[in-house]
Amino acid sequence: LRDVVGRAGLSLVVTAGVLGEGLGDGLGDGLGDGLGSAAELELVRLDADAEVAGIAKCADSVLGRTAGPEDAACVMFTSGSTGVPKGVVAPHRAMAGTLTGQEFVSFGSDEVWLQCSPVSWDAFALELFGALLHGGVCVLQPGLRPEPSVIAGLIAAHGVTSVHVSASLFNFLLDEYPGCFAGVRQLMTGGEPLSVAHVAKAMGEYPGLRLVNGYSPVESMIFTCCHTAEERDTAGSSIPVGRPVANKQVYVLDERLRPVPVGVVGELYMSGVGLARGYVGQAGLTSERFVAHPYGAPGERVYRTGDLVRWRADGVLEFLGRADGQVKIRGFRVEPGEVQAVLMRHSGVRQAAVVVREDRPGDKRLAAYLVAEPGTVLDPADARAHAAAHLPEHLRPSTFTVLDTLPLTPNGKLDRQALPAPDLSTTPGGRAPRTEQEKLLCDLFAEVLGIPEVGVDDDFFHLGGHSLLVTRLISRIRAVCDTELSIKTVFEASTPATLAERLDGAEKARPALRRRSRS
């Protein structure tokens, strides 16, 4: 957090509770790209300083500050291949231009939006300002993580009509919460390729639902292309990402920046109202990715996405993958090189490789392979703890495998095909379950993780679990034990033994959802 605040060149942080811990004075001048810089950081704590600073007595009228279209609205940090997060500077023009004058969904005063995306995603702006800029209602989900059971409950309780969720969360809600989207008029999803089977299921169960597949990197605010799913899409192998929204343009170009014909694969470039200013404090990277527009006016730029696409004959874009090593896992854009760079900072690690494995279809996971410094014994648990201390949850590898050497191809590159499958075996000789609850949870852990057996003291995340599998585990516990658990509880009690202790004090599962009409 300190590093991010310093890179953004912030001089003031408004916070509360423990969120401001670790932030102090003397962060330096920042790397601010015109965002401001300060030798000291001022903290305003909404709880502790409310009386001292007179926050509650401040006028709620005009603030006396103005911002132009090119002034920074926010800086969003995303994964970087060098191990340094990239701060994308989005101007007011990008946000206002993406959320006004558009028709990719209905923006109106009669819409009730659900805000459930983390504040660090540009989807947060869609969910919040998509409502507020048009006089609609915004329902806020409490907490920092999307909670499927809470989302389902809020949709039913508040008559939510507009929902945005990642593709993985969309699939999960559709499978595990029947009737969840009853009453929802429009649902936006994206972040990763949509499941054709789940789109077909949604269209069958909710025939009046407008299902929009949105696509864009954060460098072109929220959505650049959108496609409303149609019946014919379910006959294909993938759901297209559609056409550019109003006031945004896309180009499919070859390596010489020439437009490619229909049906030919090329790299996608973007321009228009949603384009970011660049990366804060990284002028070289900005000039590399935001390049001169080959067909625009002098000074105009396009963003080179690194995504491979092709035009269909009907003018719709199909997404085919990445041109580089960047991947999307559970909706998050991930640079394995960033994770690798962090692991290399461990004092006991001499070499590290981070790859994406898909040992089960549709279940992509980061796997770390490590070589220890000579004369040292590297404990995978230490490496896991190091990753947990320096990386957000979605960037932490699911498995850590220690090797004598990393396998190489004849030309000296990492031989990814020769990397062994991670060992997901459980702790040998562990104690047996003492209660029926512990035995039941061991069985449910094994079922969700797709492994033969789980010991009572085995950690869910050490066996390859991740946040999406946590939601599946919670769903199975709800069905079998009639008990409602939160994602936070599983993160805090991640073995069958510790989780069994939490079951006694957990609340009963919520009753089946019923549609509630708005008055």
Side-chain angles (χ1 to χ4, degrees):
L1 180 59
R2 238 178 112 84
D3 180 64
V4 167
V5 168
R7 289 189 168 277
L10 302 183
S11 58
L12 174 68
V13 172
V14 180
T15 183
V18 300
L19 297 177
E21 290 183 2
L23 292 176
D25 296 338
L27 284 174
D29 288 338
L31 301 172
D33 186 33
L35 300 179
S37 60
E40 294 186 351
L41 180 70
E42 180 182 356
L43 293 181
V44 175
R45 301 179 183 272
L46 293 177
D47 45 5
D49 299 340
E51 294 298 326
V52 177
I55 295 173
K57 299 177 182 178
C58 292
D60 58 2
S61 56
V62 178
L63 297 176
R65 304 272 309 231
T66 58
E70 296 304 320
D71 288 328
C74 60
V75 180
M76 294 170 285
F77 282 86
T78 186
S79 180
S81 59
T82 63
V84 178
K86 298 179 294 187
V88 180
V89 185
H92 286 270
R93 173 248 310 149
M95 190 176 298
T98 302
L99 297 176
T100 58
Q102 298 289 354
E103 297 181 350
F104 56 86
V105 292
S106 174
F107 294 97
S109 58
D110 61 337
E111 297 293 341
V112 179
W113 290 71
L114 175 66
Q115 194 289 301
C116 60
S117 291
V119 69
S120 57
W121 287 10
D122 55 351
F124 172 87
L126 168 67
E127 297 166 354
L128 180 65
F129 295 111
L132 301 188
L133 291 178
H134 301 274
V137 174
C138 184
V139 178
L140 303 177
Q141 183 208 270
L144 301 178
R145 297 174 181 272
E147 291 269 6
S149 62
V150 177
I151 289 172
L154 290 174
I155 290 174
H158 296 278
V160 170
T161 62
S162 299
V163 175
H164 171 272
V165 288
S166 69
S168 293
L169 185 53
F170 164 69
N171 296 345
F172 182 79
L173 288 167
L174 197 62
D175 290 338
E176 302 294 339
Y177 290 85
C180 173
F181 299 124
V184 175
R185 295 197 290 252
Q186 53 189 12
L187 188 147
M188 295 140 280
T189 185
E192 53 198 334
L194 266 178
S195 160
V196 175
H198 284 87
V199 169
K201 182 177 181 180
M203 295 178 73
E205 293 182 0
Y206 306 99
L209 177 67
R210 181 181 184 181
L211 180 57
V212 177
N213 186 24
Y215 159 80
S216 188
V218 70
E219 287 84 353
S220 181
M221 175 70 70
I222 305 174
F223 290 153
T224 295
C225 294
C226 284
H227 177 76
T228 299
E230 303 172 350
E231 189 68 35
R232 61 173 179 164
D233 294 328
T234 61
S237 59
S238 64
I239 304 298
V241 294
R243 298 178 172 86
V245 302
N247 300 314
K248 297 189 181 186
Q249 299 82 41
V250 297
Y251 307 86
V252 184
L253 308 178
D254 63 15
E255 65 277 3
R256 298 174 64 180
L257 300 183
R258 298 174 303 186
V260 301
V262 170
V264 175
V265 177
E267 185 173 352
L268 185 62
Y269 290 73
M270 297 177 170
S271 67
V273 70
L275 219 58
R277 283 174 21 183
Y279 304 109
V280 61
Q282 294 181 281
L285 184 59
T286 297
S287 62
E288 175 186 332
R289 306 303 296 187
F290 293 84
V291 299
H293 198 316
Y295 306 104
E300 193 174 353
R301 301 177 306 158
V302 291
Y303 173 66
R304 181 181 182 182
T305 67
D307 289 340
L308 299 178
V309 298
R310 66 184 170 206
W311 289 111
R312 288 195 329 196
D314 60 357
V316 167
L317 275 177
E318 292 180 326
F319 176 82
L320 302 174
R322 290 290 301 170
D324 53 25
Q326 193 180 84
V327 294
K328 280 200 173 181
I329 298 179
R330 302 189 300 280
F332 290 95
R333 196 168 75 177
V334 173
E335 291 272 12
E338 177 185 5
V339 182
Q340 181 174 308
V342 170
L343 295 178
M344 288 293 293
R345 297 175 195 153
H346 188 290
S347 59
V349 174
R350 186 178 193 182
Q351 292 178 300
V354 177
V355 301
V356 177
R357 297 189 64 94
E358 192 173 356
D359 296 312
R360 289 195 295 173
D363 184 15
K364 292 181 179 179
R365 306 185 187 188
L366 287 178
Y369 295 87
L370 309 172
V371 176
E373 287 285 0
T376 65
V377 176
L378 181 61
D379 186 348
D382 290 339
R384 185 182 296 275
H386 174 81
H390 295 90
L391 290 167
E393 190 269 332
H394 69 276
L395 290 182
R396 298 171 195 166
S398 294
T399 58
F400 293 77
T401 304
V402 178
L403 304 175
D404 293 332
T405 59
L406 293 179
L408 302 177
T409 62
N411 62 3
K413 295 183 178 181
L414 177 68
D415 188 352
R416 297 172 182 271
Q417 300 300 319
L419 290 170
D423 181 10
L424 296 179
S425 59
T426 58
T427 306
R431 68 177 178 85
R434 294 170 297 189
T435 66
E436 284 299 318
Q437 277 191 338
E438 287 186 352
K439 175 64 171 64
L440 178 61
L441 288 174
C442 286
D443 293 341
L444 292 179
F445 273 44
E447 175 188 332
V448 171
L449 291 167
I451 57 179
E453 186 178 16
V454 171
V456 71
D457 295 312
D458 288 324
D459 190 284
F460 184 80
F461 301 101
H462 294 188
L463 296 176
H466 50 67
S467 56
L468 183 58
L469 288 180
V470 168
T471 61
R472 296 193 183 280
L473 178 63
I474 290 172
S475 179
R476 292 295 295 127
I477 292 173
R478 181 192 309 110
V480 174
C481 303
D482 192 31
T483 300
E484 196 73 50
L485 294 176
S486 69
I487 291 177
K488 180 181 178 182
T489 298
V490 179
F491 271 88
E492 292 174 345
S494 52
T495 68
T498 56
L499 193 57
E501 296 174 359
R502 301 291 188 97
L503 286 182
D504 291 336
E507 63 180 80
K508 289 292 184 181
R510 297 179 177 89
L513 300 176
R514 296 180 179 178
R515 181 173 178 175
R516 175 181 172 183
S517 60
R518 295 180 64 205
S519 56

